[in-house]
Amino acid sequence: MARIFQKAIQLKSTLRYTQVSSTHRLALTNSPFTIATSHFYPSRCNTRNLTTKNAEGPKSSPPERLPFTRVTKEDLDFFRSILPGRTITDPDLLESSNVDWLKSVRGSSEVLLRPQTTAEVSQILRYCNSRNLAVNPQGGNTGLVGGSVPVYDEIILSTALMNKVLSFDHVSGIVTCQAGCVLESLSQYLEERDYIMPLDLGAKGSCHIGGNVATNAGGLRLLRYGSLRGTVLGLEVVFADGRVLDCLATLRKDNTGYDLKQLFIGSEGTLGVITAVSVLCPRKPKSVNVVFLGCETFENLLKTFQLCRGMLGEILSAFEFLDSECMRLLNTHLKLSNPISDCPFYIVIETAGSDPNHDSEKLHNFLDEAMNAALVTDGTVATEESKIKALWSMRERVTEALTHDGFTYKYDISLPVELIYRLVLDMRQHLGDRARSVVGYGHVGDGNLHLNITSPAKDPALLAAIEPFVYEWTAQRRGSISAEHGLGLKKRNYIYYSKSSQAVTLMGDIKHMLDPKGILNPYKTLPDHLT
């Protein structure tokens, strides 16, 4: 590194090894504030003949409860007969399953079912479909759009006890497991066998792999390993009527007919309940480095990204960013110290490879070039695990810091990479002093911006200024209003900003075909007023 230090003398600060304090994984903390991605609650839903009129008009009225059957004593007797000791009706035990992670959506379910096998899920759904009982599939309940909790009294079907690894192929790196495996536990299982999961999330200590697949979660490693649509090789899914679809393949190539698993990846539990998955996993890297850099402009940040992709190539595994407002929140609310000097923008780069010397040389050459070109003004490198985690915490804990800043409106936007921060600037100009904070962070590598706006309390006037401005802005630039969080309850009425009426109509037809009674995760994903 001495060569780099000498060439960096003319910069604001030299590149140095991190001395960041101990790391913390993203965790829900006690806060006097509430978070919401938006405060509307959609109105009555059907499953046929969608129309584009839903792109206009108010979306804040509460939904009407659909005419599902209410749970009776006879229903409970049946559930207890097939799930002895795993049919939960205690209100205190149900509380956490009725409320989402953000404390923004609260259901009133009186029954929590905890099956352990696919056969039990099949029995439950067959019975619920015959009785017209609505079902809310639930994994780790870490979603951010209200898709994982009931809206009314839907039966909660938890996969928490479906947590077994079914098989692992040491040659191909393909793991097959039940849907309730916690992502972090699955990662630990694989690391002991010299492999890793292709997916990494801040919520990995709680989220389930089945929920990850059902929401098509993106995460921090998508730049390197791609989305779950590519790494998931097979699924086992139970339909609303109890039929089991076995597409639990472990083949990387299978061109026999339609790729049915893709229907369920990202369907948010509305088409079927995922009970098992097979995932292609990469080898565990022998060399991992994390770099935390500062940039004066977003233009320089994008140039750094271009340089990074060209010079780091196959070892680049993540390229994340956060702005100075995010750093302020981290400093103020979590007392995390900035590991470098103050800058308008910060970058987190991770490399992962098989040869420490090769990777170090490539990284040093990249940093040398970036500093000589004055693209970065300060930086720090971590190679030890504890310091790597500490640097990652500067990115992963932004969501936690926001919980302390006030009522938060969260937006998960996908845009052409060169446009992602322009939305933050335009939103600040549009809102003026009506918001407490407008911050931007996210995944530069895949054009995913996390736009967060805070206010001292829930503010309908502020929300009216944000929406539909944020969605119209995104649609005009052919972006997506949901890059990785899904639509859930909160955003389903905005689907037309990203999808054509023909596409949404086809989605409704598929829903009706697979779940004609609409019992699976009602009030989610598809828009209102399906006539």
Side-chain angles (χ1 to χ4, degrees):
M1 293 296 290
R3 176 167 55 90
I4 296 178
F5 288 154
Q6 293 168 1
K7 292 187 178 184
I9 292 175
Q10 73 275 21
L11 299 177
K12 182 192 298 183
S13 177
T14 59
L15 186 69
R16 57 187 181 275
Y17 280 91
T18 183
Q19 299 296 324
V20 187
S21 58
S22 60
T23 185
H24 299 272
R25 278 288 177 188
L26 179 65
L28 180 62
T29 59
N30 293 326
S31 169
F33 301 107
T34 305
I35 305 176
T37 51
S38 61
H39 72 188
F40 81 89
Y41 292 88
S43 60
R44 195 177 189 278
C45 172
N46 205 317
T47 56
R48 296 291 289 173
N49 301 328
L50 312 176
T51 63
T52 57
K53 67 182 180 181
N54 302 304
E56 304 296 337
K59 300 176 176 68
S60 57
S61 58
E64 298 174 8
R65 183 186 183 278
L66 291 173
F68 296 115
T69 306
R70 298 186 185 275
V71 176
T72 65
K73 179 182 180 301
E74 289 72 22
D75 296 327
L76 292 176
D77 289 341
F78 172 80
F79 295 138
R80 287 170 178 143
S81 71
I82 63 171
L83 301 177
R86 291 177 283 129
T87 299
I88 312 301
T89 57
D90 185 331
D92 292 335
L93 298 178
L94 277 160
E95 173 67 16
S96 61
S97 297
N98 264 314
V99 183
D100 74 329
W101 186 86
L102 296 175
K103 305 290 193 246
S104 61
V105 178
R106 180 182 295 272
S108 55
S109 177
E110 298 178 348
V111 185
L112 169 65
L113 304 180
R114 307 184 75 192
Q116 293 177 322
T117 67
T118 299
E120 290 176 344
V121 174
S122 177
Q123 283 182 282
I124 292 166
L125 291 185
R126 186 183 303 113
Y127 180 85
C128 289
N129 193 61
S130 69
R131 290 272 298 123
N132 198 36
L133 292 164
V135 177
N136 183 97
Q138 188 176 92
N141 196 16
T142 58
L144 300 176
V145 291
S148 61
V149 293
V151 178
Y152 290 106
D153 56 348
E154 300 92 276
I155 293 168
I156 301 172
L157 177 61
S158 170
T159 59
L161 299 184
M162 302 182 68
N163 56 6
K164 294 182 174 59
V165 174
L166 303 176
S167 67
F168 177 68
D169 187 323
H170 291 264
V171 177
S172 65
I174 297 171
V175 64
T176 302
C177 62
Q178 290 183 300
C181 288
V182 173
L183 181 58
E184 188 169 47
S185 300
L186 203 52
S187 297
Q188 292 169 351
Y189 172 91
L190 290 166
E191 288 180 15
E192 292 170 0
R193 291 155 179 81
D194 209 27
Y195 282 83
I196 62 171
M197 282 294 291
L199 177 70
D200 187 25
L201 303 171
K204 67 182 180 182
S206 303
C207 65
H208 295 180
I209 186 61
N212 298 151
V213 174
T215 57
N216 191 26
L220 305 170
R221 291 176 176 164
L222 190 141
L223 176 64
R224 175 71 172 269
Y225 301 115
S227 76
L228 290 172
R229 292 195 181 279
T231 55
V232 171
L233 301 182
L235 292 178
E236 180 183 71
V237 182
V238 182
F239 292 141
D241 62 5
R243 288 177 297 156
V244 179
L245 176 66
D246 184 359
C247 289
L248 202 57
T250 56
L251 301 174
R252 295 189 66 178
K253 300 178 75 173
D254 179 5
N255 203 22
T256 53
Y258 306 126
D259 190 3
L260 295 177
K261 69 176 182 291
Q262 298 295 344
L263 274 177
F264 304 96
I265 299 174
S267 65
E268 302 185 71
T270 62
L271 301 180
V273 176
I274 296 172
T275 52
V277 303
S278 57
V279 183
L280 178 65
C281 303
R283 289 296 298 267
K284 180 180 179 180
K286 293 181 171 59
S287 168
V288 177
N289 301 283
V290 171
V291 184
F292 194 86
L293 302 174
C295 289
E296 285 297 325
T297 67
F298 197 73
E299 181 182 4
N300 280 352
L301 186 150
L302 292 178
K303 289 179 180 178
T304 304
F305 176 56
Q306 290 178 291
L307 182 68
C308 183
R309 293 188 72 181
M311 296 190 68
L312 297 182
E314 79 285 354
I315 67 171
L316 177 62
S317 58
F319 193 105
E320 303 285 305
F321 92 98
L322 58 150
D323 64 14
S324 58
E325 281 293 282
C326 292
M327 182 61 72
R328 179 182 62 80
L329 298 181
L330 291 167
N331 297 160
T332 302
H333 299 303
L334 303 184
K335 308 305 178 186
L336 292 181
S337 299
N338 188 345
I340 62 176
S341 58
D342 290 341
C343 297
F345 298 96
Y346 302 92
I347 305 169
V348 182
I349 298 172
E350 182 183 79
T351 66
S354 59
D355 185 336
N357 293 329
H358 168 268
D359 297 352
S360 178
E361 181 179 0
K362 293 194 76 165
L363 181 60
H364 289 183
N365 290 339
F366 157 69
L367 293 172
D368 193 5
E369 182 69 23
M371 289 187 294
N372 283 336
L375 297 179
V376 299
T377 56
D378 196 7
T380 182
V381 179
T383 57
E384 299 174 13
E385 184 175 358
S386 62
K387 294 177 181 179
I388 286 174
K389 289 182 178 179
L391 283 185
W392 265 120
S393 71
M394 305 303 293
R395 163 62 179 85
E396 291 184 330
R397 298 187 72 192
V398 174
T399 298
E400 180 185 353
L402 283 159
T403 67
H404 298 277
D405 199 54
F407 190 94
T408 307
Y409 299 95
K410 303 179 72 67
Y411 300 92
D412 165 46
I413 305 296
S414 182
L415 288 162
V417 175
E418 66 274 12
L419 297 178
I420 59 176
Y421 201 72
R422 189 184 301 174
L423 174 56
V424 180
L425 299 177
D426 286 357
M427 183 61 75
R428 285 176 181 160
Q429 182 179 17
H430 175 68
L431 295 179
D433 60 2
R434 286 177 286 183
R436 170 178 282 173
S437 302
V438 178
V439 310
Y441 63 98
H443 319 292
V444 176
D446 43 88
N448 184 185
L449 169 71
H450 295 305
L451 171 68
N452 288 254
I453 301 161
T454 68
S455 60
K458 186 175 180 179
D459 185 346
L462 175 61
L463 179 60
I466 299 170
E467 301 175 6
F469 175 85
V470 63
Y471 299 124
E472 292 172 346
W473 194 101
T474 301
Q476 288 166 5
R477 290 154 182 84
R478 299 186 67 82
S480 171
I481 65 164
S482 180
E484 61 182 1
H485 293 167
L487 295 169
L489 170 69
K490 297 177 180 178
K491 295 186 177 179
R492 65 179 188 156
N493 277 337
Y494 297 102
I495 190 172
Y496 290 103
Y497 286 103
S498 295
K499 290 292 186 288
S500 69
S501 59
Q502 294 91 341
V504 180
T505 297
L506 182 57
M507 293 179 196
D509 291 340
I510 293 170
K511 167 70 171 175
H512 182 74
M513 178 182 70
L514 297 180
D515 181 17
K517 293 185 178 181
I519 69 165
L520 289 178
N521 220 11
Y523 322 106
K524 317 287 176 61
T525 306
L526 294 178
D528 301 340
H529 307 299
L530 308 180
T531 57

